């Protein structure tokens, strides 16, 4: 089961989701999207919360209010963190998550520590959590199928982009050739390059 929330503090709204337990977190780690940003309470046990960005966005494009929504949701779903003030929530792109065979269920590391950001959560914000709770939906998605569909769409987009680039290059070559032919034709048509049907001795005398 996956819990989905909608952050509508900006338009268009963002989707936030998290797994029910650490076993489900394994699937979320495995089948995450490149558009996903992972959130977790720093140095404490908590839910793994994901924010799905719009295509083309990066971690630096997350609106401040959406970032607050994610951080509050993570804090609220931490057994220890929910009782504490001034906790840090770390977040990083899904692609930066590192999972090795010797790690416990739900445990992860990072490929690049420099790509991990953090935000301080001073205290619980009930107004934020109540708003998000009203949007909560429980689903049983086929995460593997959804990821394959997303990856296939990306492959098709890249293929179309490559074809468009090749078409532009072909058109450029054709245009260049046409311009070259036009220049050659213009050169041939210049007066100094044209032959005349008359010469100095070509005249008729009539008696």
């Amino acid at each position: 089961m996956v819990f989905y929330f909608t952050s509508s503090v900006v338009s268009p709204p963002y989707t936030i989701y998290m797994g029910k337990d650490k076993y489900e977190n394994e699937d979320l780690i495995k089948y995450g999207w490149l558009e996903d940003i992972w959130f977790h309470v720093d140095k404490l046990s908590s839910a793994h919360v994901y924010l799905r960005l719009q295509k083309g966005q990066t971690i630096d494009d997350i609106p401040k209010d959406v970032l607050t929504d994610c951080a509050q949701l993570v804090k609220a779903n931490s057994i220890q963190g929910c009782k504490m003030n001034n906790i840090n929530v770390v977040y990083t792109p899904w692609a930066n998550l590192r999972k090795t065979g010797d790690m416990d269920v739900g445990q992860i590391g990072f490929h690049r520590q420099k790509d991990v950001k953090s935000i301080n959560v001073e205290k619980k914000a009930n107004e934020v959590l109540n708003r998000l709770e009203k949007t909560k939906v429980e689903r049983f998605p086929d995460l593997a199928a959804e990821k394959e569909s997303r990856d296939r769409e990306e492959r098709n987009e890249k293929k179309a982009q490559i074809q468009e680039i090749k078409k532009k290059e072909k058109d450029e070559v054709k245009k260049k050739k046409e311009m070259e032919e036009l220049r050659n034709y213009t050169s041939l048509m210049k007066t100094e390059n044209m032959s005349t049907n008359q010469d100095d001795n070509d005249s008729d005398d009539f008696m």
Side-chain angles (χ1 to χ4, degrees), residues 53-187:
L53 300 181
Q54 313 294 341
K55 276 194 173 183
Q57 289 186 320
T58 70
I59 193 170
D60 296 320
D61 297 321
I62 302 174
K64 182 179 179 181
D65 289 341
V66 175
L67 193 60
T68 297
D69 282 2
C70 294
Q72 283 290 333
L73 199 56
V74 174
K75 172 179 165 56
N77 287 276
S78 170
I79 296 175
Q80 294 173 278
C82 69
K83 304 170 186 176
M84 300 167 61
N85 291 334
N86 289 308
I87 65 166
N88 286 325
V89 170
V90 293
Y91 60 106
T92 194
W94 167 80
N96 192 38
L97 301 181
R98 179 176 60 85
K99 181 74 179 182
T100 58
D102 59 339
M103 290 181 175
D104 292 335
V105 175
Q107 183 182 7
I108 57 91
F110 307 116
H111 292 292
R112 297 171 301 278
Q113 188 63 41
K114 67 178 183 178
D115 291 339
V116 180
K117 296 178 176 290
S118 68
I119 178 175
N120 178 264
V121 182
E122 183 179 351
K123 61 183 180 178
K124 180 180 179 181
N126 287 320
E127 67 277 9
V128 171
L129 295 171
N130 290 338
R131 169 170 51 78
L132 291 172
E133 188 65 24
K134 292 177 182 178
T135 71
K136 183 178 179 180
V137 177
E138 299 178 7
R139 297 177 189 164
F140 296 85
D142 186 335
L143 296 172
E146 288 185 355
K147 181 173 176 58
E148 173 55 31
S149 177
R150 180 256 175 225
D151 290 348
R152 182 169 56 251
E153 180 180 332
E154 184 181 31
R155 288 194 298 269
N156 290 337
E157 288 178 355
K158 287 184 177 179
K159 184 178 179 180
Q161 290 173 356
I162 292 173
Q163 290 177 338
E164 181 64 22
I165 291 173
K166 287 183 177 179
K167 182 179 182 300
K168 287 183 178 180
E169 290 176 346
K170 186 177 180 180
D171 289 344
E172 283 296 320
V173 171
K174 182 180 178 182
K175 184 178 179 180
K176 185 177 180 180
K177 184 178 180 181
E178 289 176 347
M179 291 297 293
E180 185 66 28
E181 290 176 347
L182 181 60
R183 282 194 296 270
N184 291 338
Y185 178 76
T186 302
S187 178

